[in-house]
Amino acid sequence: MKRVYNFSAGPSMLPEPVLRRAAAEMLDYEGSGQSVMEMSHRSKVYESIIFGCEEQLRRVMGIPDNYKVLFLQGGASSQFAMVPLNLLNGSGRADYVITGQFAKKAWQEASRFGQCNVVASSADKLFTYIPTLDPATFDKDADYFHICANNTIYGSRWVDFPETGNVPLVADMSSCILSEPVDVSKFGLIYAGAQKNMAPAGLTVVIIREDLLGHTRDTAPTMFNYKTMVENQSMYNTPPCYPIYICKLVLDWLESLGGLEKMAEINNKKAAVLYDFIDSSRLFHNNVEKRVRSIMNVTFVTGNEEIDKKFVKEAAAAGFVNIKGHRSVGGMRASIYNAMPAEGIDALVAFMKKFEAENA
Ligand SMILES: *Cc1c(COP(=O)(O)O)cnc(C)c1O
């Protein structure tokens, strides 16, 4: 069996110990005589998985007691609508910062439900930086303030989150959740599609401060009401059972490594190895402002589309797959989420060096 180094932006790699354990438990989960895929979500055995997963996520992320944790379907993209349907009902206004394509999509979708102001944008320089904010431009009566914490496509991230005072800060953390410690109490709501750092596709995690519940508009679909989901412990209908189980195994793995502090240390080291090489390279360049470079998605170009294409092709043949940049930016992108081992980065850098020697 030969496994590749998969640099996909999502769905992406899962830790090998997680896959092995899932395989071992596949046919008979803890003596239940069935796989987790087959069991009733109302069974005692499944309850121990979903409630256990929540308890572990709370412990790993240090989620305060006045926050609810939801396991939903629909992806982060559904949250682009679910957030305004539930929160955009006071002044009917919200502030958005546009730092990439997902931030823009979130803003566009929310704009269908109320007045969503663009406080700042980095579109002028192809999202290669995070704009400096002037708090005087914030709407003090906004129902919330939305950011995308890590810009998956462009490879930038917020290093210091905005101070929004009494206005709840809402963050799309799809591509950085569980990559480093985060002070949850700074946020009103955090959401993440799980397929980057938590689990297979199909699960969306929402962490919401309790006082933000109960403001949902009447016309919101029942399935899109956070309160419905809170009252039913994410089991108003069938939850994404198997991804929740894998999420629990991923959290076991994270805890065995030493939790988020340790994860951040590993991730920072991994990213530094790649960025240091790119910065010293005669062939490859990264265009993101150094201070805000993502430690999860590393973008790079050679400046020549033909050579970029050649690199992607030769990399795939050498076992480094899905390293092509997003279709909107071109070039290359190495997504190096938690599950990408340090050896994967070392091997990639060695391959890049060889390619540079042959092509620069
Ligand atoms: C992947 C991604 C999304 C889209 O997630 P889906 O679950 O496919 O809807 C949204 N935001 C960010 C930051 C992402 O990385």
Side-chain angles (χ1 to χ4, degrees):
M1 180 187 71
K2 187 181 178 328
R3 284 185 48 86
V4 293
Y5 288 120
N6 178 9
F7 292 90
S8 169
S12 38
M13 290 182 83
L14 284 163
E16 202 169 299
V18 167
L19 296 176
R20 288 188 186 283
R21 188 164 153 201
E25 293 178 342
M26 178 63 76
L27 292 182
D28 178 12
Y29 177 75
E30 291 195 354
S32 66
Q34 51 192 317
S35 80
V36 176
M37 278 182 229
E38 303 166 294
M39 59 182 54
S40 164
H41 60 291
R42 309 274 177 212
S43 60
K44 275 273 166 291
V45 57
Y46 190 73
E47 279 188 355
S48 75
I49 294 173
I50 188 168
F51 298 146
C53 184
E54 172 176 347
E55 193 185 300
Q56 249 169 309
L57 186 64
R58 284 182 175 280
R59 188 163 66 230
V60 168
M61 289 187 70
I63 300 172
D65 289 344
N66 63 325
Y67 285 73
K68 298 292 187 191
V69 174
L70 295 174
F71 298 117
L72 308 178
Q73 308 199 31
S77 302
S78 290
Q79 294 308 309
F80 298 167
M82 199 163 171
V83 166
L85 281 168
N86 284 272
L87 305 187
L88 196 54
N89 303 316
S91 66
R93 301 193 307 270
D95 283 344
Y96 277 72
V97 185
I98 312 293
T99 52
Q101 210 177 94
F102 289 119
K104 188 174 171 194
K105 281 190 173 162
W107 166 71
Q108 282 171 330
E109 184 73 355
S111 296
R112 303 173 63 207
F113 303 102
Q115 189 187 325
C116 295
N117 304 309
V118 176
V119 174
S121 166
S122 50
D124 61 336
K125 289 185 188 162
L126 260 165
F127 302 117
T128 49
Y129 70 107
I130 299 290
T132 306
L133 303 180
D134 174 8
T137 61
F138 298 2
D139 182 346
K140 279 169 197 57
D141 298 318
D143 290 325
Y144 62 91
F145 188 110
H146 183 281
I147 59 165
C148 180
N150 181 74
N151 300 294
T152 323
I153 293 173
Y154 303 91
S156 67
R157 62 158 176 162
W158 288 86
V159 174
D160 305 305
F161 294 116
E163 296 290 341
T164 57
N166 290 330
V167 174
L169 183 59
V170 174
D172 177 354
M173 292 199 182
S174 297
S175 52
C176 58
I177 195 161
L178 301 182
S179 65
E180 60 184 349
V182 53
D183 181 358
V184 174
S185 73
K186 280 195 167 234
F187 297 86
L189 189 151
I190 291 169
Y191 63 89
Q195 68 273 23
K196 278 88 189 229
N197 241 352
M198 306 185 96
L203 167 65
T204 311
V205 172
V206 172
I207 301 165
I208 180 171
R209 210 174 62 210
E210 269 167 5
D211 62 287
L212 297 176
L213 295 166
H215 307 291
T216 312
R217 61 185 70 186
D218 293 338
T219 51
T222 310
M223 282 290 294
F224 266 32
N225 188 330
Y226 290 131
K227 202 154 176 261
T228 309
M229 289 303 175
V230 165
E231 283 167 357
N232 291 279
Q233 297 178 292
S234 301
M235 291 188 281
Y236 172 77
N237 69 328
T238 317
C241 300
Y242 199 75
I244 292 169
Y245 157 70
I246 298 290
C247 185
K248 189 171 183 300
L249 299 190
V250 167
L251 290 163
D252 281 343
W253 171 78
L254 253 171
E255 289 198 289
S256 75
L257 283 182
L260 292 186
E261 297 280 350
K262 186 67 190 173
M263 197 69 247
E265 193 188 310
I266 295 170
N267 285 331
N268 279 307
K269 258 194 216 148
K270 274 157 52 184
V273 168
L274 192 45
Y275 283 122
D276 285 350
F277 168 66
I278 292 170
D279 288 343
S280 71
S281 168
R282 283 172 296 130
L283 183 63
F284 301 103
H285 310 279
N286 168 276
N287 296 320
V288 178
E289 189 187 313
K290 277 194 182 166
R291 207 181 77 83
V292 297
R293 283 170 164 179
S294 171
I295 58 168
M296 294 281 102
N297 310 97
V298 178
T299 53
F300 53 99
V301 292
T302 64
N304 177 325
E305 272 182 45
E306 288 310 310
I307 297 186
D308 286 353
K309 258 193 210 145
K310 186 168 183 249
F311 177 82
V312 170
K313 198 169 157 222
E314 290 183 14
F320 306 99
V321 304
N322 292 318
I323 208 156
K324 193 168 180 272
H326 189 268
R327 57 190 180 279
S328 65
V329 241
M332 282 71 72
R333 171 179 51 178
S335 294
I336 51 172
Y337 298 116
N338 288 356
M340 172 61 68
E343 303 85 72
I345 315 279
D346 294 342
L348 175 64
V349 166
F351 176 79
M352 289 169 78
K353 279 184 182 159
K354 180 170 159 282
F355 185 88
E356 177 179 271
E358 291 163 0
N359 292 276

